[in-house]
Amino acid sequence: MTRFHSFYRRTLSLFVTGAFLFPVSAFSDDIAPFPNAVLDMELHQQVTSYPVISSSMKKVNGVVMADSEQWLDGALDRKLYLLPSGKSSDEAYRFFTRQFKQLGVEPVFSCERFSCGASNFWANNIFDIARLYGLDKEQAYYLGQKETNGKITYYLTYTVKRGNRREYALVDIFTVGKARGARSNQVAMDDIPVNTSDLERSEAYKVLLKTLKNQAQPLLITVESASARNTSEVDRLSERLNASQNLLQSRLNDDGIDSQQFRIQTIIGDLKSASLHWQVLQ
């Protein structure tokens, strides 16, 4: 996963390096800041490959991954708060998730304490903010989504207490970007394959397998669905994408491709048809 997440760090870090302390103020959709907290980081930028993680992180065969993850392009509104003395990360978690609920945000995934996995992975592999590395028993994560005028916005908070007793709360509001044109190394699919026979018949899979067998560097593989018209369709496509990701992982391994040679992400797309595409990870 190190190669995989370093790709995200390279893209997002271009925008984070200029961050510094700001006066605390409200931001997107009137999300109020935590009372008396110090605003440690603020970011308002277009970003690429933003991680939308909707399951806990875990280590499988030495590789850190989530069962359900997407890497999307769009607009990110980020704030990181250093909490005041006497206030806990759990209080901040309740404070922000309560506001999300009031805005009509629908919950997608949440976890607390050890069920989230290791704080180290969230801090360094997902958010690339080292000071979010804290105690596994003192962390919480929430991801929700809201659809407005056909656009999907994700609302996220991650809170943690560090070993030095400092406590932080990260709040991200991420709006998925506009439709994109065809990419290089992209093969259209009639539908998302969710069983072995569909995958074996898929021309996209045959091309991908040949590429992997002739490619020394690892690939970031994207299974992208057609666009969704409403939240219930988002749920249906998410299930199919998750099944397809697991199927593709297993089938590539059966066909002799080592897990270190690829990472798979899934995306609910914004085009008319599904596709499989990939890029080389440096």
Side-chain angles (χ1 to χ4, degrees):
M1 204 74 169
T2 302
R3 288 178 182 265
F4 184 41
H5 289 302
S6 66
F7 167 73
Y8 167 65
R9 286 197 290 270
R10 287 198 300 273
T11 57
L12 185 58
S13 63
L14 294 174
F15 307 111
V16 176
T17 51
F20 47 92
L21 297 183
F22 290 83
V24 174
S25 59
F27 66 130
S28 294
D29 278 330
D30 297 322
I31 298 294
F34 193 84
N36 301 315
V38 173
L39 184 56
D40 190 70
M41 175 191 293
E42 183 172 27
L43 174 68
H44 309 279
Q45 288 287 357
Q46 291 288 324
V47 296
T48 60
S49 296
Y50 175 82
V52 177
I53 307 298
S54 50
S55 68
S56 56
M57 305 298 293
K58 62 183 181 180
K59 183 177 286 188
V60 179
N61 297 325
V63 179
V64 181
M65 61 179 61
D67 287 330
S68 182
E69 57 186 34
Q70 301 180 71
W71 296 73
L72 307 176
D73 302 341
L76 175 63
D77 192 346
R78 165 171 289 179
K79 291 197 175 184
L80 176 65
Y81 297 99
L82 172 61
L83 304 184
S85 177
K87 296 296 182 180
S88 70
S89 58
D90 182 69
E91 288 178 84
Y93 179 78
R94 309 300 167 191
F95 177 81
F96 288 116
T97 55
R98 184 166 57 248
Q99 291 190 72
F100 294 164
K101 183 178 180 180
Q102 291 169 350
L103 289 171
V105 175
E106 298 180 3
V108 174
F109 172 75
S110 63
C111 62
E112 297 182 45
R113 298 169 59 85
F114 296 106
S115 66
C116 296
S119 174
N120 175 46
F121 300 141
W122 290 99
N124 295 314
N125 293 54
I126 299 301
F127 302 120
D128 193 29
I129 303 174
R131 50 196 176 280
L132 285 177
Y133 177 20
L135 305 173
D136 294 350
K137 65 179 181 179
E138 298 285 354
Q139 64 175 333
Y141 171 81
Y142 172 94
L143 174 71
Q145 69 179 36
K146 180 180 178 181
E147 183 177 352
T148 305
N149 297 324
K151 286 190 174 183
I152 294 178
T153 298
Y154 290 98
Y155 293 75
L156 174 159
T157 187
Y158 178 79
T159 62
V160 69
K161 179 179 181 179
R162 288 174 53 85
N164 61 9
R165 298 187 181 277
R166 289 190 174 186
E167 308 202 34
Y168 287 90
L170 176 71
V171 179
D172 280 1
I173 300 176
F174 175 76
T175 301
V176 180
K178 297 180 180 179
R180 295 157 295 183
R183 303 164 180 82
S184 58
N185 303 320
Q186 175 169 307
V187 184
M189 298 186 293
D190 293 333
D191 202 357
I192 304 165
V194 293
N195 57 61
T196 301
S197 59
D198 287 345
L199 190 62
E200 288 176 344
R201 290 194 300 268
S202 170
E203 184 65 27
Y205 180 73
K206 295 175 184 176
V207 175
L208 171 63
L209 182 60
K210 182 177 180 180
T211 300
L212 279 164
K213 288 183 175 181
N214 292 284
Q215 173 65 46
Q217 292 176 289
L219 299 182
L220 173 59
I221 303 166
T222 302
V223 184
E224 182 167 359
S225 75
S227 60
R229 291 177 296 233
N230 50 54
T231 53
S232 60
E233 195 163 337
V234 168
D235 293 339
R236 181 186 68 82
L237 288 172
S238 294
E239 290 182 5
R240 289 186 65 86
L241 285 167
N242 187 50
S244 182
Q245 179 177 2
N246 294 334
L247 173 67
L248 189 56
Q249 173 83 36
S250 176
R251 184 65 190 185
L252 284 172
N253 291 157
D254 290 344
D255 283 334
I257 306 300
D258 189 277
S259 295
Q260 296 297 327
Q261 277 301 106
F262 64 91
R263 292 292 180 267
I264 303 170
Q265 66 171 344
T266 61
I267 295 176
I268 295 177
D270 40 30
L271 301 177
K272 292 183 178 180
S273 63
S275 67
L276 188 70
H277 49 94
W278 53 89
Q279 65 189 74
V280 176
L281 295 177
Q282 302 298 326

